[in-house]
Amino acid sequence: MPDIGTDLKCTSVKTGSPAKGGGNQVVLSGKLQDEREIEITLSHLKNNSIRVKEGQTVGLNDIIAEVGNTGYTGNSERGFGDWYEGKDYGYHLDIKIKVGGKYVDPETYLF
């Protein structure tokens, strides 16, 4: 797993559940040890559970929010949660990661 060189900074907090979209979201950004930019978007977070604010630095073991089901959760986007026949149901977390401006497989950075 690649090392993140520094703590991450919360760069965006979006709340509300539009008919389509990620619902409540937090975006974190920082740099990897090789100086490439990393951006992590956490989506479908539980209402009233976000514990970070824009500009706040977060580190290992900091609680960011609780997993939820806000926003459009009936599609087959990749996430971590309950899956059945390509559809997600109930509470789950979608994690999107960009490195150097390009989307990468989240498992490379999480496990």
Side-chain angles (χ1 to χ4, degrees):
M1 178 171 78
D3 289 328
I4 295 175
T6 62
D7 288 337
L8 299 172
K9 183 170 276 192
C10 177
T11 54
S12 175
V13 174
K14 297 177 184 174
T15 58
S17 295
K20 291 186 179 181
N24 298 327
Q25 297 180 329
V26 169
V27 178
L28 305 170
S29 63
K31 288 193 176 201
L32 297 172
Q33 287 184 338
D34 64 8
E35 295 299 312
R36 290 181 298 161
E37 296 284 330
I38 184 169
E39 180 182 280
I40 302 167
T41 302
L42 308 172
S43 302
H44 303 297
L45 303 172
K46 184 177 178 182
N47 284 326
N48 303 311
S49 75
I50 296 174
R51 299 185 187 180
V52 295
K53 298 186 183 326
E54 286 185 30
Q56 178 180 340
T57 299
V58 297
L60 188 62
N61 296 322
D62 286 346
I63 296 173
I64 296 166
E66 295 176 36
V67 172
N69 64 349
T70 59
Y72 183 68
T73 60
N75 62 6
S76 59
E77 63 191 344
R78 183 171 185 172
F80 295 88
D82 297 325
W83 283 81
Y84 180 71
E85 294 182 359
K87 294 184 180 180
D88 47 27
Y89 296 91
Y91 283 62
H92 69 283
L93 177 65
D94 284 339
I95 301 171
K96 293 182 176 65
I97 298 179
K98 286 184 185 179
V99 174
K102 296 180 181 177
Y103 286 103
V104 297
D105 183 350
E107 290 184 20
T108 303
Y109 292 85
L110 299 175
F111 303 106

